[in-house]
Amino acid sequence: MTVRTRFAPSPTGYLHVGGARTALFSYLFARRHGGVFILRIEDTDLERSSADSVNAILEGMTWLGLEYDEGPFYQTERLGRYNQVIDNLMEQGLAYRCDCSTARLDALREEQMARKDKPRYDGHCRHRDLGPDRTHVVRFRNPDAGEVVVDDLIRGRVVFGNEELDDLIIRRSDGSPTYNLTVVVDDWDMEITHVIRGDDHLNNTPRQINILRALGREPPRYAHVPMILGSDGARLSKRHGAMSVIAYRDQGYLPEALLNYLARLGWSHGDRELFSLDELIELFDIDQVNKAAAGFDTDKLDWLNQHYIQHGDPRHIAHLLSPHLGRLGIDPAPGPDLVDVVVAQQARAKTLVEMAAISAFVYRDCDAYDAKAAKQHLRPAAKEALERLRERFDLLALEDWEPATLEHTVKQVAQELDVKLGKVAQPLRVALVGRAASPGIDVTLWLVGKAATLRRIDKALAFIRDGL
């Protein structure tokens, strides 16, 4: 048997972290078992679905590197197939028309709740044999007795009594099929063997199993992934800062860091924390997912992101960093090689947004000095050191503008003035960067370049002279 999994989001919003984790688990399970991973867009809710949401889902999947083997399939392109199945169920007496009014259903619900019964449809129209001319919905005739047993790959054995399940609507009065029908038909037609999804779908599972069996099909295996909790123990939501996958990208997280973090939300392999995607494929299995809900820890994600920035391939990080510089109005192309900038800053940033901000000095002069740094370092006492440095730098040929030569020049000036290196390097750093922190002064000078260095020293000397 070829393992076939699917990720089936509804395009009613962005791809959030819970959905991304479900997609990741489905992807890893298929890859681990040499199977097929399918993307299906469940877009039959026409009022809430949007093309922008579809694009956000596709963009998020692409950024994360979760490549699907088949799809994307769209339910709105399969409406004829769903109606064919519904009509066949009606012909076999396994579904029926219902014209119960909203008023009747509301009254029924109030009576049941007053008796402390579970609200459910009472089968009023089961034997009325209504024709198609009246406004109606179509309901599935759920079995009256017996049990539905779900051998969940995460939760274990879960039993539902059929008497607790009512005759759910499978076609609305406007002719559109409902979720529980469409998902069953899709899983059947796409030969899905394993359904991995959030545990908020668990109560739908017995209904879907009953429909599949009415169609003469054996259901797939199910695995219901526990929810993700915020720091207060409540289900993760926007108020916890829960964001779309693309928002994490825009905040400077690396896709490999977010994937690693999502994989560890409810799954583990000993005490190990760091996994590449290939290692996750080799090690992951769904029955190792914890039954308990997992808590989202932003500090842990930040730690992982910093690790991947520090230890990642500078070329890869440079590719991801470039758009963040673009958002600052910086085109890195005319400046030094962006890979060299990354190498200089890898140990200094937790996110790519932070790396872009602290690297802006390479490409443009600062508008204003950090007040504390200027007060401490751009003082009259620094004037002679900056003047000597400017003179020496001006004499350097462009081919000599290399870190080793530049470091030697700075040290030489400090020796001539008989002061510690910091008394020379720090005023120079503030002049070049606008603040008292940057990579080593040799690398900082090298990245800024000769022309900008001379210009920025002149600006710093004017600042000191004018007493600003």
Side-chain angles (χ1 to χ4, degrees), residues 366-370 433-434 459:
C366 65
D367 295 328
Y369 300 114
D370 174 79
V433 182
K459 179 180 177 181

Side-chain angles (χ1 to χ4, degrees), residues 1-4 29-30 33-36 153 191-194 219-221:
M1 176 188 71
T2 300
V3 167
R4 293 174 63 86
F29 187 82
H33 296 281
V36 177
L153 293 170
E191 299 180 318
I192 302 301
T193 62
H194 294 79
R221 298 296 307 276

Side-chain angles (χ1 to χ4, degrees), residues 76 83 99 127 212 255 293 335 393 449 459:
T76 48
N83 283 316
D99 66 351
H127 306 292
L212 276 166
F393 291 148
K459 179 180 177 181

Side-chain angles (χ1 to χ4, degrees), residues 140-416:
F140 172 69
R141 188 186 295 268
N142 195 75
D144 294 316
E147 295 178 336
V148 182
V149 178
V150 181
D151 288 318
D152 195 276
L153 293 170
I154 296 174
R155 302 173 64 96
R157 184 181 176 89
V158 185
V159 180
F160 298 87
N162 276 318
E163 70 278 1
E164 297 295 318
L165 307 174
D166 58 1
D167 293 353
L168 76 157
I169 295 172
I170 56 175
R171 183 157 62 197
R172 302 179 185 90
S173 58
D174 63 3
S176 62
T178 60
Y179 165 76
N180 279 302
L181 185 283
T182 59
V183 71
V184 162
V185 176
D186 288 342
D187 287 345
W188 170 19
D189 288 352
M190 297 174 190
E191 299 180 318
I192 302 301
T193 62
H194 294 79
V195 172
I196 300 170
R197 59 188 179 187
D199 63 359
D200 53 329
H201 286 286
L202 180 60
N203 287 334
N204 288 323
T205 301
R207 304 172 185 274
Q208 293 168 12
I209 288 176
N210 279 339
I211 295 174
L212 276 166
R213 287 182 173 155
L215 294 169
R217 309 296 300 184
E218 278 301 307
R221 298 296 307 276
Y222 292 92
H224 290 91
V225 180
M227 68 179 69
I228 301 174
L229 303 179
S231 56
D232 59 357
R235 190 173 194 129
L236 192 68
S237 64
K238 291 181 181 179
R239 66 186 178 87
H240 295 106
M243 298 180 293
S244 72
V245 165
I246 295 305
Y248 280 100
R249 179 198 66 184
D250 294 344
Q251 290 198 1
Y253 291 91
L254 273 61
E256 51 266 39
L258 186 57
L259 280 176
N260 191 152
Y261 182 70
L262 292 177
R264 288 286 286 109
L265 273 179
W267 173 85
S268 63
H269 185 74
D271 296 328
R272 187 171 169 183
E273 295 287 354
L274 299 168
F275 300 88
S276 69
L277 187 56
D278 287 342
E279 288 169 334
L280 287 171
I281 291 170
E282 178 184 352
L283 298 171
F284 179 85
D285 223 333
I286 197 66
D287 58 6
Q288 298 167 346
V289 174
N290 201 308
K291 297 179 183 179
F296 196 92
D297 182 350
T298 302
D299 291 339
K300 184 68 169 292
L301 175 58
D302 288 345
W303 175 82
L304 278 169
N305 201 57
Q306 186 173 28
H307 169 85
Y308 280 102
I309 287 177
Q310 288 181 352
H311 299 281
D313 181 345
R315 291 169 297 181
H316 170 64
I317 295 174
H319 174 72
L320 297 175
L321 176 63
S322 184
H324 294 283
L325 288 169
R327 292 188 184 97
L328 298 178
I330 294 172
D331 178 7
D337 192 328
L338 191 52
V339 173
D340 292 328
V341 177
V342 169
V343 171
Q345 300 284 28
Q346 273 182 288
R348 307 177 65 85
K350 290 183 179 179
T351 69
L352 295 177
V353 167
E354 184 179 347
M355 183 180 284
I358 65 175
S359 301
F361 77 88
V362 175
Y363 302 98
R364 65 187 181 197
D365 297 356
C366 65
D367 295 328
Y369 300 114
D370 174 79
K372 183 178 179 181
K375 182 178 180 180
Q376 184 175 358
H377 299 292
L378 296 185
R379 300 181 299 167
K383 180 174 178 292
E384 184 176 4
L386 289 174
E387 287 175 339
R388 290 201 187 191
L389 286 167
R390 192 201 186 286
E391 180 181 349
R392 304 293 171 81
F393 291 148
D394 193 25
L395 294 174
L396 280 178
L398 286 178
E399 58 266 24
D400 294 327
W401 196 268
E402 295 291 338
T405 305
L406 296 166
E407 181 182 28
H408 175 74
T409 302
V410 176
K411 286 182 176 179
Q412 189 176 48
V413 169
Q415 290 172 357
E416 292 172 2

